[in-house]
Amino acid sequence: MVLHSRSRRAPLASARRPALPAVLIAFLLCPTVAPAAETEWQTVAGAHVRVIASGSQDTSPVGDAAIQIRLDPGWHTYWRFPGEAGIPTTADFAGSTGIDGARLRFPPPQTYSDPYSTSIVYRDEVVLPIDLEAGKTDGSATLRVHLVFGVCREICVPGEARFELPLNATGSDFAARMAISSARLTLPRPQGEAPPRIASIGLSANERAAGTTDGTTNGTGGKLAISVELPAGAGDLALYAEGATGSYNGVPKLVSRKGDVAVFSLPMQGLQKAQDGSQPLSLVLVVDGNAVEHQVDLADLPPG
């Protein structure tokens, strides 16, 4: 039986220069109203991190913001759930002012495999948008970020960075807005009735036939068979799974693909239950760079 989805700048070298006109000196010393669009870069091993902001927008007095991570060649960092090895990327926004809420968002990741494990990663550069909920403010707001992440090459290095960025309520920064908007366009969207979509989730046929599980989803055994529907002409695809807090599950493996249907297998080992007894599972399906997300409660999975 199955669950069916419903739908830094380098310092300038000293040199003799002609004296600047007094008017120009006065101009340079005057504060400007341009928004502080980014923090300074902070570097951890092969990763360079900063916070960027767009400035105010018609829809929000605090505008939009994101964490930007640039990675040296050969290095990678991790998704919100790292897979079989790695450090999840998390952000705490405690101490921010003029903001009632903030949530870090994640564009589609990539798969990285070595002889020992399979991880869920980002390479080169990634922009992680931050959903901001404006609070009662006098026109000013400050975003404070405590970022925890990991970066790996031959070795893995835990990273930590803290940022503080005033969110200017009167200006706008085009470059930052474009970077954040481009990242938002790639965020997984809730799946609909049309493909790509997760079509069904159930115990794999082999598990049922062998009687290797009693049909309960207690995170101790068995495998899930996850069937997905693909759009016509679909190319590359990947599926990522994130369980409840504390889960240490693996990465779904593609076991079959025929026409517009593909099936992935995911061991239930390591999938934890939440305190309320539910067993949430979030699935992100990526097809040719486009991503949809679907959430189910494995506690509702019928016995095999």
Side-chain angles (χ1 to χ4, degrees):
M1 297 179 69
V2 297
L3 287 176
H4 289 276
S5 60
R6 300 288 183 193
S7 13
R8 237 206 236 201
R9 256 176 240 181
L12 294 174
S14 60
R16 299 179 66 90
R17 294 184 176 87
L20 293 172
V23 173
L24 179 57
I25 293 174
F27 172 78
L28 292 174
L29 292 178
C30 286
T32 68
V33 297
E38 71 272 331
T39 65
E40 294 292 328
W41 289 100
Q42 296 189 30
T43 297
V44 176
H48 315 277
V49 188
R50 68 177 179 177
V51 174
I52 59 176
S54 68
S56 64
Q57 300 180 33
D58 293 338
T59 57
S60 172
V62 296
D64 209 352
I67 296 171
Q68 184 178 24
I69 305 176
R70 288 181 177 171
L71 296 149
D72 293 341
W75 290 82
H76 61 258
T77 191
Y78 296 94
W79 190 50
R80 68 192 195 198
F81 176 74
E84 297 170 357
I87 301 171
T89 298
T90 63
D92 183 359
F93 304 99
S96 297
T97 59
I99 299 168
D100 280 350
R103 181 168 70 107
L104 191 62
R105 302 292 302 278
F106 293 83
Q110 300 170 297
T111 302
Y112 171 82
S113 295
D114 60 27
Y116 310 101
S117 62
T118 298
S119 300
I120 308 172
V121 307
Y122 296 107
R123 301 181 180 90
D124 301 324
E125 179 172 338
V126 63
V127 174
L128 307 176
I130 304 170
D131 289 349
L132 297 173
E133 181 183 347
K136 293 182 179 180
T137 176
D138 58 359
S140 64
T142 299
L143 179 65
R144 294 179 174 89
V145 182
H146 178 200
L147 179 70
V148 176
F149 62 107
V151 287
C152 285
R153 192 176 177 181
E154 287 86 1
I155 60 171
C156 291
V157 181
E160 185 176 13
R162 294 179 183 270
F163 302 95
E164 180 174 318
L165 183 64
L167 302 175
N168 191 299
T170 60
S172 177
D173 186 87
F174 179 77
R177 179 176 293 187
M178 289 300 295
I180 301 169
S181 296
S182 296
R184 286 196 176 278
L185 289 174
T186 70
L187 294 176
R189 65 185 187 278
Q191 74 171 26
E193 293 294 335
R197 63 190 296 270
I198 289 92
S200 64
I201 304 168
L203 292 174
S204 69
N206 289 341
E207 296 297 326
R208 293 197 303 268
T212 54
T213 179
D214 60 3
T216 62
T217 53
N218 57 11
T220 60
K223 290 183 179 180
L224 296 173
I226 305 169
S227 178
V228 306
E229 295 177 0
L230 306 172
D236 295 336
L237 74 155
L239 184 66
Y240 305 104
E242 179 186 27
T245 300
S247 292
Y248 52 93
N249 55 280
V251 179
K253 301 293 192 296
L254 179 64
V255 295
S256 69
R257 179 175 181 177
K258 184 176 181 180
D260 60 357
V261 175
V263 178
F264 290 81
S265 176
L266 175 65
M268 290 191 293
Q269 182 176 5
L271 288 170
Q272 301 298 306
K273 288 187 176 182
Q275 291 183 349
D276 62 2
S278 64
Q279 194 169 22
L281 180 66
S282 177
L283 297 167
V284 175
L285 175 63
V286 184
V287 181
D288 295 327
N290 298 311
V292 296
E293 186 163 9
H294 184 56
Q295 297 177 340
V296 297
D297 185 353
L298 295 179
D300 294 335
L301 185 70

